[in-house]
């Protein structure tokens, strides 16, 4: 909202919702293409295009998931730092230290949860943590907004910087709605598969986006252009309430990261033939070394470049746009070439060209944003 303002922010969120629903619906309709159920995005791309497309799609997915994981580690670190600041405001606990602690907890959780289906009850806790954070952030923001004097909602920066930040914000918007792993998430959905996937998508992009809208709009309304990336850094209220919200944000980030890291874990487990009991010495030591090493690299990158908004921009630009919009439209076009009218084909080509241009423009804008922030904050900054 900050780089877009009220009009651009509201329209952008609504438009991003609509196009994300549309693009994911195209993928859902291809879930059983060719008489085969494709439970991995890269498998679907490989089935339609061939082995090279399989590898390229997996590379884009890996980038997307790595950056999502980095974003969650930064978020967990920011939440942990906010808790320390509430009780020990001596400035000694820097953000890189908190990110390192968050990465360690993520690694321990990944070692203890051998596969995605083992999350079980943790998904329920994740939902509960999200609801607690949403309610607290919403209520405290509304209280501050009612008491605060008129806020400044102008878009900060020069005319040139506004153009780049607006383009970068568009990548943030699509990143907020898309994962690039819809087939993996819906791999165990019941028959009829496509129909149930569509039901899930309709629910997610209607009822499911309302909490996002509420927190985003309330936070921006309450604090205007001074709103920080981590909203709880702005709010006022009882210390224990703010601490509870930050703790739930920390815990939810740990669980959510595991969901988006699972495709990488599954790939590594399959490649190295990891089977049998999760507590077997070979399997346990493999998780400690491989998953621990993967998250150690992820944590190091997160601590070195702790610019959460920049991560969202560059991820949306280089992977979310190509995976969710360009590839989805082109795969649907190729798979249904003989069934589509000329107008429908033109529509999909227009989408491909438009989102291709947006991907390039957003990449340039995101790189510029990272360069500017790197000059301002330096590596391992305490934001």
């Amino acid at each position: 909202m900050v780089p877009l303002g009220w009009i651009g922010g509201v329209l952008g969120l609504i438009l991003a919702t609509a196009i994300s629903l549309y693009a994911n619906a195209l993928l859902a309709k291809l879930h059983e293409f060719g008489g085969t159920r494709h439970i991995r995005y890269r498998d679907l791309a490989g089935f339609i295009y061939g082995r090279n497309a399989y590898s390229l799609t997996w590379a884009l997915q890996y980038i997307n998931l790595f950056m999502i994981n980095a974003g969650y580690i930064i978020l967990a670190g920011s939440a942990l730092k906010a808790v320390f600041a509430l009780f020990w405001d001596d400035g000694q606990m820097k953000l890189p230290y908190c990110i390192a602690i968050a990465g360690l907890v993520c690694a321990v959780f990944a070692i203890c949860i051998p596969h995605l289906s083992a999350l079980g009850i943790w998904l329920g806790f994740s939902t509960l943590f999200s609801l607690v954070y949403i309610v607290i952030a919403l209520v405290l923001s509304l209280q501050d907004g009612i008491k605060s004097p008129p806020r400044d909602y102008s878009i900060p920066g020069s005319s040139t910087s506004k153009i780049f930040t607006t383009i970068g914000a568009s990548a943030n918007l699509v990143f907020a709605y898309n994962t690039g792993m819809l087939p993996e998430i819906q791999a165990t959905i019941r028959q009829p598969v496509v129909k149930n996937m569509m039901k899930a998508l309709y629910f997610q992009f209607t009822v499911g986006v309302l909490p996002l809208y509420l927190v985003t709009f309330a936070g921006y309304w309450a604090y205007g252009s001074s709103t920080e990336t981590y909203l709880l850094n702005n709010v006022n209220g009882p210390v224990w309430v703010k601490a509870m919200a930050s703790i739930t944000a920390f815990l939810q980030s740990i669980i959510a990261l595991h969901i988006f890291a699972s495709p990488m874990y599954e790939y590594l487990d399959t490649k190295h033939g990891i089977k049998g009991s999760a507590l077997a010495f070979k399997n346990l030591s493999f998780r400690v070394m491989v998953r621990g090493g993967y998250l150690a690299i992820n944590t190091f990158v997160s601590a070195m470049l702790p610019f959460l908004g920049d991560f969202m921009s560059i991820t949306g630009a280089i992977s979310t746009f190509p995976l969710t919009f360009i590839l989805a439209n082109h795969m649907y076009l190729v798979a249904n070439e003989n069934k589509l009218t000329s107008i429908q084909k033109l529509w999909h080509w227009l989408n491909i060209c438009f989102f291709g241009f947006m991907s390039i423009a957003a990449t340039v804008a995101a790189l510029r944003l990272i360069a500017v922030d790197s000059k301002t904050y330096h590596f391992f900054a305490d934001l």
Side-chain angles (χ1 to χ4, degrees):
M1 294 292 289
V2 173
L4 295 173
W6 271 118
I7 297 176
V10 173
L11 292 178
L13 278 169
I14 295 174
L15 184 59
T17 303
I19 63 175
S20 298
L21 171 59
Y22 175 73
N24 282 281
L26 295 180
L27 287 177
K29 292 175 182 178
L30 294 173
H31 192 61
E32 291 186 313
F33 175 66
T36 302
R37 187 171 178 181
H38 306 281
I39 62 172
R40 299 180 185 87
Y41 200 162
R42 58 186 184 274
D43 291 340
L44 175 60
F47 185 84
I48 293 176
Y49 301 115
R51 186 65 189 179
N52 290 337
Y54 173 96
S55 301
L56 177 60
T57 303
W58 179 222
L60 289 174
Q61 273 192 301
Y62 174 79
I63 294 171
N64 200 55
L65 296 175
F66 184 89
M67 301 294 266
I68 289 174
N69 295 338
Y72 273 118
I73 294 173
I74 294 172
L75 178 58
S78 299
L80 192 59
K81 182 187 175 185
V83 175
F84 279 108
L86 288 172
F87 297 101
W88 303 281
D89 192 14
D90 55 6
Q92 295 300 310
M93 186 55 72
K94 308 295 185 182
L95 180 59
Y97 306 154
C98 294
I99 289 176
I101 296 172
L104 178 61
V105 177
C106 288
V108 172
F109 189 78
I111 293 167
C112 294
I113 307 296
H115 43 76
L116 188 59
S117 58
L119 276 174
I121 193 173
W122 290 104
L123 294 176
F125 281 118
S126 176
T127 302
L128 176 63
F129 294 148
S130 297
L131 290 175
V132 171
Y133 174 86
I134 288 167
V135 171
I136 293 176
L138 181 62
V139 171
L140 294 183
S141 296
L142 290 175
Q143 288 181 348
D144 286 349
I146 293 172
K147 299 176 183 177
S148 299
R151 276 76 70 191
D152 178 17
Y153 297 111
S154 62
I155 301 174
S158 62
S159 299
T160 302
S161 66
K162 287 180 182 179
I163 295 174
F164 283 102
T165 53
T166 299
I167 296 174
S170 68
N172 284 3
L173 290 173
V174 298
F175 175 72
Y177 289 111
N178 299 283
T179 63
M181 54 180 283
L182 177 67
E184 288 85 349
I185 293 174
Q186 301 289 345
T188 57
I189 200 166
R190 296 176 181 176
Q191 295 285 353
V193 177
V194 174
K195 184 177 180 180
N196 286 331
M197 287 179 75
M198 293 303 298
K199 288 181 179 178
L201 288 173
Y202 289 140
F203 179 83
Q204 175 58 41
F205 286 100
T206 52
V207 177
V209 299
L210 291 181
L212 173 64
Y213 283 178
L214 289 174
V215 173
T216 302
F217 294 151
Y220 187 62
W221 170 75
Y223 310 108
S225 57
S226 63
T227 308
E228 295 191 31
T229 303
Y230 184 63
L231 180 60
L232 290 182
N233 287 337
N234 288 98
V235 302
N236 298 292
V239 171
W240 71 270
V241 175
K242 294 168 64 176
M244 179 185 296
S246 288
I247 290 171
T248 58
F250 173 79
L251 295 174
Q252 199 277 338
S253 298
I254 304 300
I255 300 171
L257 180 145
H258 188 77
I259 297 172
F260 294 105
S262 289
M264 176 55 66
Y265 299 158
E266 181 266 339
Y267 169 77
L268 292 171
D269 290 350
T270 302
K271 182 178 180 180
H272 294 279
I274 302 300
K275 299 178 181 179
S277 173
L279 297 178
F281 177 77
K282 175 187 175 183
N283 296 347
L284 183 59
S285 59
F286 179 85
R287 293 201 302 276
V288 170
M289 291 185 295
V290 176
R291 296 188 184 186
Y294 171 75
L295 287 171
I297 296 172
N298 216 315
T299 302
F300 177 79
V301 173
S302 302
M304 184 173 65
L305 296 170
F307 317 127
L308 183 59
D310 297 359
F311 267 98
M312 293 173 65
S313 295
I314 194 66
T315 304
I318 66 177
S319 60
T320 307
F321 270 124
L323 273 178
T324 307
F325 301 108
I326 300 173
L327 190 58
N329 272 278
H330 195 268
M331 284 197 302
Y332 190 82
L333 183 65
V334 172
N336 297 279
E337 185 175 8
N338 297 327
K339 301 177 183 179
L340 300 177
T341 65
S342 299
I343 297 297
Q344 289 173 322
K345 291 179 181 179
L346 178 61
W347 165 250
H348 287 291
W349 275 115
L350 287 174
N351 283 334
I352 293 167
C353 294
F354 173 75
F355 289 117
F357 169 79
M358 285 298 300
S359 178
I360 295 171
T363 300
V364 173
L367 290 175
R368 179 185 179 277
L369 184 61
I370 291 174
V372 171
D373 284 345
S374 297
K375 292 178 181 178
T376 304
Y377 296 113
H378 66 78
F379 290 156
F380 300 102
D382 181 32
L383 303 184

